[in-house]
mmCIF file of all heavy atoms in Angstrom:
data_model
loop_
_atom_site.group_PDB
_atom_site.id
_atom_site.type_symbol
_atom_site.label_atom_id
_atom_site.label_comp_id
_atom_site.label_asym_id
_atom_site.label_seq_id
_atom_site.Cartn_x
_atom_site.Cartn_y
_atom_site.Cartn_z
ATOM 1 N N SER A 67 104.401 40.090 54.946
ATOM 2 C CA SER A 67 105.244 38.921 54.678
ATOM 3 C C SER A 67 106.612 39.346 54.160
ATOM 4 O O SER A 67 107.644 38.794 54.556
ATOM 5 C CB SER A 67 104.560 37.988 53.672
ATOM 6 O OG SER A 67 103.370 37.448 54.209
ATOM 7 N N GLY A 243 108.317 37.199 61.778
ATOM 8 C CA GLY A 243 106.982 36.901 61.275
ATOM 9 C C GLY A 243 106.038 36.394 62.352
ATOM 10 O O GLY A 243 104.849 36.757 62.377
ATOM 11 N N ALA A 244 106.546 35.559 63.259
ATOM 12 C CA ALA A 244 105.684 34.947 64.272
ATOM 13 C C ALA A 244 105.458 35.850 65.471
ATOM 14 O O ALA A 244 104.322 35.973 65.956
ATOM 15 C CB ALA A 244 106.294 33.623 64.729
ATOM 16 N N LEU A 247 105.144 40.356 63.746
ATOM 17 C CA LEU A 247 104.090 40.666 62.782
ATOM 18 C C LEU A 247 102.874 39.754 62.910
ATOM 19 O O LEU A 247 101.838 40.030 62.319
ATOM 20 C CB LEU A 247 104.656 40.568 61.360
ATOM 21 C CG LEU A 247 105.817 41.518 61.059
ATOM 22 C CD1 LEU A 247 106.399 41.235 59.684
ATOM 23 C CD2 LEU A 247 105.356 42.967 61.149
ATOM 24 N N HIS A 248 103.008 38.658 63.636
ATOM 25 C CA HIS A 248 101.906 37.721 63.874
ATOM 26 C C HIS A 248 101.260 37.252 62.566
ATOM 27 O O HIS A 248 100.044 37.356 62.373
ATOM 28 C CB HIS A 248 100.854 38.365 64.785
ATOM 29 C CG HIS A 248 101.414 38.891 66.068
ATOM 30 N ND1 HIS A 248 101.897 38.058 67.068
ATOM 31 C CD2 HIS A 248 101.600 40.167 66.501
ATOM 32 C CE1 HIS A 248 102.325 38.799 68.077
ATOM 33 N NE2 HIS A 248 102.175 40.071 67.760
ATOM 34 N N LEU A 249 102.090 36.766 61.665
ATOM 35 C CA LEU A 249 101.602 36.275 60.384
ATOM 36 C C LEU A 249 100.774 35.009 60.574
ATOM 37 O O LEU A 249 100.945 34.282 61.558
ATOM 38 C CB LEU A 249 102.779 35.976 59.450
ATOM 39 C CG LEU A 249 103.703 37.154 59.093
ATOM 40 C CD1 LEU A 249 104.833 36.671 58.193
ATOM 41 C CD2 LEU A 249 102.932 38.287 58.429
ATOM 42 N N SER A 250 99.902 34.750 59.618
ATOM 43 C CA SER A 250 99.136 33.507 59.645
ATOM 44 C C SER A 250 100.063 32.327 59.393
ATOM 45 O O SER A 250 101.207 32.492 58.954
ATOM 46 C CB SER A 250 98.053 33.541 58.573
ATOM 47 O OG SER A 250 98.637 33.516 57.273
ATOM 48 N N ASP A 251 99.574 31.125 59.645
ATOM 49 C CA ASP A 251 100.403 29.931 59.471
ATOM 50 C C ASP A 251 100.914 29.810 58.040
ATOM 51 O O ASP A 251 102.088 29.478 57.810
ATOM 52 C CB ASP A 251 99.598 28.678 59.842
ATOM 53 C CG ASP A 251 99.315 28.587 61.332
ATOM 54 O OD1 ASP A 251 99.988 29.313 62.097
ATOM 55 O OD2 ASP A 251 98.433 27.803 61.729
ATOM 56 N N HIS A 252 100.036 30.055 57.066
ATOM 57 C CA HIS A 252 100.450 29.932 55.662
ATOM 58 C C HIS A 252 101.459 31.012 55.288
ATOM 59 O O HIS A 252 102.445 30.737 54.592
ATOM 60 C CB HIS A 252 99.227 30.023 54.745
ATOM 61 C CG HIS A 252 99.558 29.823 53.294
ATOM 62 N ND1 HIS A 252 99.837 28.575 52.760
ATOM 63 C CD2 HIS A 252 99.692 30.706 52.264
ATOM 64 C CE1 HIS A 252 100.102 28.697 51.472
ATOM 65 N NE2 HIS A 252 100.025 29.983 51.151
ATOM 66 N N GLN A 253 101.231 32.239 55.748
ATOM 67 C CA GLN A 253 102.187 33.308 55.474
ATOM 68 C C GLN A 253 103.543 33.006 56.096
ATOM 69 O O GLN A 253 104.594 33.231 55.476
ATOM 70 C CB GLN A 253 101.651 34.638 56.021
ATOM 71 C CG GLN A 253 100.487 35.216 55.257
ATOM 72 C CD GLN A 253 99.945 36.468 55.929
ATOM 73 O OE1 GLN A 253 99.789 36.510 57.155
ATOM 74 N NE2 GLN A 253 99.655 37.490 55.152
ATOM 75 N N LEU A 254 103.520 32.469 57.309
ATOM 76 C CA LEU A 254 104.769 32.153 57.998
ATOM 77 C C LEU A 254 105.520 31.054 57.269
ATOM 78 O O LEU A 254 106.751 31.138 57.085
ATOM 79 C CB LEU A 254 104.458 31.727 59.436
ATOM 80 C CG LEU A 254 105.621 31.740 60.429
ATOM 81 C CD1 LEU A 254 106.223 33.139 60.522
ATOM 82 C CD2 LEU A 254 105.142 31.274 61.796
ATOM 83 N N LEU A 255 104.824 30.030 56.840
ATOM 84 C CA LEU A 255 105.455 28.963 56.068
ATOM 85 C C LEU A 255 106.079 29.524 54.797
ATOM 86 O O LEU A 255 107.209 29.170 54.429
ATOM 87 C CB LEU A 255 104.433 27.881 55.732
ATOM 88 C CG LEU A 255 104.883 26.788 54.744
ATOM 89 C CD1 LEU A 255 106.080 26.031 55.293
ATOM 90 C CD2 LEU A 255 103.722 25.846 54.439
ATOM 91 N N THR A 256 105.344 30.395 54.112
ATOM 92 C CA THR A 256 105.843 30.974 52.865
ATOM 93 C C THR A 256 107.120 31.762 53.083
ATOM 94 O O THR A 256 108.116 31.587 52.370
ATOM 95 C CB THR A 256 104.772 31.896 52.248
ATOM 96 O OG1 THR A 256 103.589 31.144 51.991
ATOM 97 C CG2 THR A 256 105.267 32.520 50.956
#
Side-chain angles (χ1 to χ4, degrees):
S67 295
L247 300 174
H248 306 291
L249 299 178
S250 68
D251 290 344
H252 184 75
Q253 289 175 316
L254 197 59
L255 171 60
T256 301

